[in-house]
Amino acid sequence: MNPTSVAAATKTRGHPGFGEDGAPPNGKAEPQAAEILRLIAQYMAVLTVERASSEHTVRAYQRELHTFAVFLAKRCGEGVVPSQIEHPVIREYLGTLYEKNLSKPSVARALAAIRSWFGWLARTGHIEQNPARLVSTPKLPKHLPRVPGAEQLNQAFNDVDAETAWPERDRVILELLYGCGIRNAELVGLNLEDIQWGNECILVRGKGRKERYVPLGDAAAMSIRAYLPQRGQKLLDAKRASEALLLNVRLRGDGRLTTRSVGRIVKQMALSHGLAADVHPHTLRHAFGTHMLEEGADLRAIQEILGHARLSTTQRYTHLTSGQVAAVYDRTHPRAKS
C-alpha cells in the first residue's frame, strides 16, 4: 500500500472539529502543511506495511496526526517543516485539546501518536531528536478491568443460545477468546491450518506479525470439532473455499468473520445471560489472565500466552484483591504463620 492510498483510507472520522467524512464541519478548507502531510502519509505506510499495525491503530494515528497537522499549519504557517517544531508547540497543541474538553486518555492518545511519528522522523534522519519526548504524558486514573467471575462465564458457555445464527461457531468464538486469551483480531485471523491438533495448540499471529503458540484446552478443542463439519458443509454447498477458521453466515467477501461481528456476538451472549452490558471480546481476554492468576498461574507464563512484550502490560490485564494477596502470602511464605 502506498502512502497516498493509506492516507485516503484513514480519514479523520469522528475527531473533534471534523465531520463524519473527515471534512471541517463549516465546509471551509483547512490550511494545509504540505511537508507535514507528506511525511505523515509516509509514516502511515510504514505502520501498515512494515510494522503490520492493526487497521484500528492506523486509523487512530492518521486521525490524530492529521488534526495535529492542521494545528501546525494555523500556528506556524503552511510551509512549516518538522525541524521547526519544538516541544512548547506540542504542549500548546495539547492545551487546545483540553480546551475542546477532551479527556486525559484522549489527550494521551494524541500525544502517543505525535511522539511515535517524531520518533520515526528522528530515526530516518528528518530531524535530529524527538521533541515530543520532552512533553509529559497526562497522568491517567488507574482502572482495574471488570471481569465476570469464572462461574458466570462457565454458566454462559454451557448455555450458548441455540437461537443464535450459528451456535456451534459462536461457541468456538467464546471458547477461544476466554480459553486461549487471544485478541479479537487474532481470533478472526486464525486459519484452519493454524489448529495444531497433534501439539494441542494453536498458532496465533499477534501484533507486528509476531507468532506464538497458545495451548488449546479440551473445551475449546471439543467446540472446534463440533463446528468443523458444519463449516465444511457450508463451503461445499456454496461451492466455495476459504482458509479462514471462522466464517460469516452468508460467506460474504472471502467468508472470514469480522471483528465487528465477534463483538456483536459476545455482547449478545453477555446480555442474554445477565452479564454486564459492557462485556466485549477484550473482557474475555482480561478474564483469562485474571482467572489464571487467581488459580496460581505464573505471571510470566500468562505473559507468554497473552503475547505481551513487557511484563508490566500483563500486570495491567491481571489483578488480585488484597484478600487473595494475603492468602498467597499465608500459603507460601515461611514466616507468615507461627
Side-chain angles (χ1 to χ4, degrees), residues 24-43:
N26 57 14
K28 297 180 181 179
E30 293 284 0
Q32 300 290 312
E35 180 64 7
I36 299 295
L37 291 174
R38 184 182 71 83
L39 291 171
I40 288 174
Q42 286 188 8
Y43 182 54

PDB file of all heavy atoms in Angstrom, residues 24-43:
ATOM      1  N   PRO A  24     -13.936  19.581   7.620  1.00  0.00           N
ATOM      2  CA  PRO A  24     -14.365  20.526   8.656  1.00  0.00           C
ATOM      3  C   PRO A  24     -15.862  20.732   8.594  1.00  0.00           C
ATOM      4  O   PRO A  24     -16.444  20.755   7.508  1.00  0.00           O
ATOM      5  CB  PRO A  24     -13.606  21.820   8.282  1.00  0.00           C
ATOM      6  CG  PRO A  24     -12.486  21.369   7.401  1.00  0.00           C
ATOM      7  CD  PRO A  24     -12.987  20.160   6.680  1.00  0.00           C
ATOM      8  N   PRO A  25     -16.537  20.879   9.742  1.00  0.00           N
ATOM      9  CA  PRO A  25     -17.992  20.988   9.771  1.00  0.00           C
ATOM     10  C   PRO A  25     -18.527  22.220   9.070  1.00  0.00           C
ATOM     11  O   PRO A  25     -19.649  22.226   8.608  1.00  0.00           O
ATOM     12  CB  PRO A  25     -18.310  20.995  11.271  1.00  0.00           C
ATOM     13  CG  PRO A  25     -17.058  21.446  11.934  1.00  0.00           C
ATOM     14  CD  PRO A  25     -15.948  20.917  11.081  1.00  0.00           C
ATOM     15  N   ASN A  26     -17.720  23.288   9.010  1.00  0.00           N
ATOM     16  CA  ASN A  26     -18.210  24.511   8.376  1.00  0.00           C
ATOM     17  C   ASN A  26     -18.002  24.501   6.863  1.00  0.00           C
ATOM     18  O   ASN A  26     -18.362  25.445   6.186  1.00  0.00           O
ATOM     19  CB  ASN A  26     -17.529  25.735   8.998  1.00  0.00           C
ATOM     20  CG  ASN A  26     -16.006  25.649   8.889  1.00  0.00           C
ATOM     21  OD1 ASN A  26     -15.475  24.829   8.130  1.00  0.00           O
ATOM     22  ND2 ASN A  26     -15.318  26.489   9.638  1.00  0.00           N
ATOM     23  N   GLY A  27     -17.421  23.419   6.328  1.00  0.00           N
ATOM     24  CA  GLY A  27     -17.257  23.300   4.891  1.00  0.00           C
ATOM     25  C   GLY A  27     -16.072  24.073   4.342  1.00  0.00           C
ATOM     26  O   GLY A  27     -15.768  23.985   3.159  1.00  0.00           O
ATOM     27  N   LYS A  28     -15.398  24.880   5.162  1.00  0.00           N
ATOM     28  CA  LYS A  28     -14.258  25.661   4.702  1.00  0.00           C
ATOM     29  C   LYS A  28     -12.998  24.801   4.678  1.00  0.00           C
ATOM     30  O   LYS A  28     -12.809  23.951   5.523  1.00  0.00           O
ATOM     31  CB  LYS A  28     -14.041  26.864   5.619  1.00  0.00           C
ATOM     32  CG  LYS A  28     -15.208  27.862   5.626  1.00  0.00           C
ATOM     33  CD  LYS A  28     -14.913  29.014   6.559  1.00  0.00           C
ATOM     34  CE  LYS A  28     -16.080  30.004   6.585  1.00  0.00           C
ATOM     35  NZ  LYS A  28     -15.817  31.125   7.508  1.00  0.00           N
ATOM     36  N   ALA A  29     -12.158  25.061   3.703  1.00  0.00           N
ATOM     37  CA  ALA A  29     -10.916  24.299   3.585  1.00  0.00           C
ATOM     38  C   ALA A  29      -9.969  24.691   4.717  1.00  0.00           C
ATOM     39  O   ALA A  29      -9.778  25.878   5.010  1.00  0.00           O
ATOM     40  CB  ALA A  29     -10.272  24.582   2.236  1.00  0.00           C
ATOM     41  N   GLU A  30      -9.412  23.695   5.366  1.00  0.00           N
ATOM     42  CA  GLU A  30      -8.446  23.956   6.422  1.00  0.00           C
ATOM     43  C   GLU A  30      -7.077  24.245   5.803  1.00  0.00           C
ATOM     44  O   GLU A  30      -6.767  23.777   4.705  1.00  0.00           O
ATOM     45  CB  GLU A  30      -8.334  22.716   7.334  1.00  0.00           C
ATOM     46  CG  GLU A  30      -9.582  22.423   8.142  1.00  0.00           C
ATOM     47  CD  GLU A  30      -9.749  23.368   9.317  1.00  0.00           C
ATOM     48  OE1 GLU A  30      -8.883  24.252   9.497  1.00  0.00           O
ATOM     49  OE2 GLU A  30     -10.730  23.232  10.049  1.00  0.00           O
ATOM     50  N   PRO A  31      -6.239  25.014   6.501  1.00  0.00           N
ATOM     51  CA  PRO A  31      -4.893  25.251   5.990  1.00  0.00           C
ATOM     52  C   PRO A  31      -4.114  23.936   5.916  1.00  0.00           C
ATOM     53  O   PRO A  31      -4.314  23.048   6.734  1.00  0.00           O
ATOM     54  CB  PRO A  31      -4.284  26.202   7.022  1.00  0.00           C
ATOM     55  CG  PRO A  31      -5.100  26.007   8.259  1.00  0.00           C
ATOM     56  CD  PRO A  31      -6.478  25.683   7.785  1.00  0.00           C
ATOM     57  N   GLN A  32      -3.267  23.810   4.909  1.00  0.00           N
ATOM     58  CA  GLN A  32      -2.536  22.573   4.676  1.00  0.00           C
ATOM     59  C   GLN A  32      -1.037  22.794   4.832  1.00  0.00           C
ATOM     60  O   GLN A  32      -0.472  23.705   4.226  1.00  0.00           O
ATOM     61  CB  GLN A  32      -2.824  22.050   3.263  1.00  0.00           C
ATOM     62  CG  GLN A  32      -4.278  21.749   2.991  1.00  0.00           C
ATOM     63  CD  GLN A  32      -4.750  20.528   3.754  1.00  0.00           C
ATOM     64  OE1 GLN A  32      -4.115  19.487   3.753  1.00  0.00           O
ATOM     65  NE2 GLN A  32      -5.888  20.655   4.415  1.00  0.00           N
ATOM     66  N   ALA A  33      -0.401  21.962   5.645  1.00  0.00           N
ATOM     67  CA  ALA A  33       1.063  21.972   5.769  1.00  0.00           C
ATOM     68  C   ALA A  33       1.574  20.818   4.912  1.00  0.00           C
ATOM     69  O   ALA A  33       1.607  19.666   5.350  1.00  0.00           O
ATOM     70  CB  ALA A  33       1.471  21.807   7.232  1.00  0.00           C
ATOM     71  N   ALA A  34       1.956  21.131   3.675  1.00  0.00           N
ATOM     72  CA  ALA A  34       2.226  20.099   2.674  1.00  0.00           C
ATOM     73  C   ALA A  34       3.317  19.125   3.108  1.00  0.00           C
ATOM     74  O   ALA A  34       3.165  17.898   2.978  1.00  0.00           O
ATOM     75  CB  ALA A  34       2.607  20.754   1.345  1.00  0.00           C
ATOM     76  N   GLU A  35       4.423  19.632   3.638  1.00  0.00           N
ATOM     77  CA  GLU A  35       5.526  18.743   4.006  1.00  0.00           C
ATOM     78  C   GLU A  35       5.138  17.867   5.197  1.00  0.00           C
ATOM     79  O   GLU A  35       5.480  16.685   5.246  1.00  0.00           O
ATOM     80  CB  GLU A  35       6.767  19.573   4.335  1.00  0.00           C
ATOM     81  CG  GLU A  35       8.006  18.760   4.737  1.00  0.00           C
ATOM     82  CD  GLU A  35       8.526  17.871   3.604  1.00  0.00           C
ATOM     83  OE1 GLU A  35       8.023  17.974   2.472  1.00  0.00           O
ATOM     84  OE2 GLU A  35       9.444  17.073   3.885  1.00  0.00           O
ATOM     85  N   ILE A  36       4.419  18.423   6.130  1.00  0.00           N
ATOM     86  CA  ILE A  36       3.956  17.640   7.283  1.00  0.00           C
ATOM     87  C   ILE A  36       3.043  16.510   6.831  1.00  0.00           C
ATOM     88  O   ILE A  36       3.196  15.351   7.230  1.00  0.00           O
ATOM     89  CB  ILE A  36       3.211  18.548   8.285  1.00  0.00           C
ATOM     90  CG1 ILE A  36       4.144  19.649   8.818  1.00  0.00           C
ATOM     91  CG2 ILE A  36       2.638  17.720   9.432  1.00  0.00           C
ATOM     92  CD1 ILE A  36       5.302  19.149   9.645  1.00  0.00           C
ATOM     93  N   LEU A  37       2.093  16.819   5.965  1.00  0.00           N
ATOM     94  CA  LEU A  37       1.158  15.807   5.488  1.00  0.00           C
ATOM     95  C   LEU A  37       1.869  14.732   4.667  1.00  0.00           C
ATOM     96  O   LEU A  37       1.518  13.552   4.738  1.00  0.00           O
ATOM     97  CB  LEU A  37       0.056  16.457   4.657  1.00  0.00           C
ATOM     98  CG  LEU A  37      -0.924  17.340   5.430  1.00  0.00           C
ATOM     99  CD1 LEU A  37      -1.877  18.040   4.475  1.00  0.00           C
ATOM    100  CD2 LEU A  37      -1.706  16.522   6.457  1.00  0.00           C
ATOM    101  N   ARG A  38       2.871  15.126   3.901  1.00  0.00           N
ATOM    102  CA  ARG A  38       3.624  14.147   3.106  1.00  0.00           C
ATOM    103  C   ARG A  38       4.334  13.151   4.016  1.00  0.00           C
ATOM    104  O   ARG A  38       4.307  11.934   3.777  1.00  0.00           O
ATOM    105  CB  ARG A  38       4.644  14.865   2.222  1.00  0.00           C
ATOM    106  CG  ARG A  38       5.414  13.935   1.277  1.00  0.00           C
ATOM    107  CD  ARG A  38       6.448  14.710   0.475  1.00  0.00           C
ATOM    108  NE  ARG A  38       7.553  15.134   1.317  1.00  0.00           N
ATOM    109  CZ  ARG A  38       8.595  14.356   1.639  1.00  0.00           C
ATOM    110  NH1 ARG A  38       8.654  13.102   1.194  1.00  0.00           N
ATOM    111  NH2 ARG A  38       9.571  14.828   2.398  1.00  0.00           N
ATOM    112  N   LEU A  39       4.941  13.651   5.073  1.00  0.00           N
ATOM    113  CA  LEU A  39       5.677  12.771   5.993  1.00  0.00           C
ATOM    114  C   LEU A  39       4.726  11.932   6.840  1.00  0.00           C
ATOM    115  O   LEU A  39       5.052  10.809   7.217  1.00  0.00           O
ATOM    116  CB  LEU A  39       6.608  13.607   6.869  1.00  0.00           C
ATOM    117  CG  LEU A  39       7.788  14.242   6.116  1.00  0.00           C
ATOM    118  CD1 LEU A  39       8.530  15.229   7.009  1.00  0.00           C
ATOM    119  CD2 LEU A  39       8.747  13.159   5.609  1.00  0.00           C
ATOM    120  N   ILE A  40       3.558  12.466   7.137  1.00  0.00           N
ATOM    121  CA  ILE A  40       2.549  11.665   7.845  1.00  0.00           C
ATOM    122  C   ILE A  40       2.118  10.498   6.968  1.00  0.00           C
ATOM    123  O   ILE A  40       1.993   9.358   7.436  1.00  0.00           O
ATOM    124  CB  ILE A  40       1.344  12.540   8.243  1.00  0.00           C
ATOM    125  CG1 ILE A  40       1.719  13.488   9.383  1.00  0.00           C
ATOM    126  CG2 ILE A  40       0.150  11.661   8.658  1.00  0.00           C
ATOM    127  CD1 ILE A  40       0.631  14.483   9.749  1.00  0.00           C
ATOM    128  N   ALA A  41       1.878  10.769   5.674  1.00  0.00           N
ATOM    129  CA  ALA A  41       1.475   9.698   4.760  1.00  0.00           C
ATOM    130  C   ALA A  41       2.556   8.624   4.668  1.00  0.00           C
ATOM    131  O   ALA A  41       2.253   7.426   4.631  1.00  0.00           O
ATOM    132  CB  ALA A  41       1.181  10.283   3.380  1.00  0.00           C
ATOM    133  N   GLN A  42       3.820   9.022   4.642  1.00  0.00           N
ATOM    134  CA  GLN A  42       4.912   8.048   4.612  1.00  0.00           C
ATOM    135  C   GLN A  42       4.907   7.192   5.878  1.00  0.00           C
ATOM    136  O   GLN A  42       5.119   5.974   5.825  1.00  0.00           O
ATOM    137  CB  GLN A  42       6.254   8.760   4.463  1.00  0.00           C
ATOM    138  CG  GLN A  42       6.511   9.317   3.079  1.00  0.00           C
ATOM    139  CD  GLN A  42       7.935   9.829   2.929  1.00  0.00           C
ATOM    140  OE1 GLN A  42       8.791   9.649   3.805  1.00  0.00           O
ATOM    141  NE2 GLN A  42       8.201  10.491   1.814  1.00  0.00           N
ATOM    142  N   TYR A  43       4.666   7.840   7.011  1.00  0.00           N
ATOM    143  CA  TYR A  43       4.656   7.100   8.275  1.00  0.00           C
ATOM    144  C   TYR A  43       3.483   6.133   8.336  1.00  0.00           C
ATOM    145  O   TYR A  43       3.607   5.020   8.865  1.00  0.00           O
ATOM    146  CB  TYR A  43       4.591   8.077   9.444  1.00  0.00           C
ATOM    147  CG  TYR A  43       4.622   7.413  10.800  1.00  0.00           C
ATOM    148  CD1 TYR A  43       5.641   6.527  11.134  1.00  0.00           C
ATOM    149  CD2 TYR A  43       3.618   7.657  11.741  1.00  0.00           C
ATOM    150  CE1 TYR A  43       5.677   5.911  12.362  1.00  0.00           C
ATOM    151  CE2 TYR A  43       3.651   7.044  12.967  1.00  0.00           C
ATOM    152  CZ  TYR A  43       4.681   6.175  13.282  1.00  0.00           C
ATOM    153  OH  TYR A  43       4.704   5.549  14.509  1.00  0.00           O
TER     154      TYR A  43
END
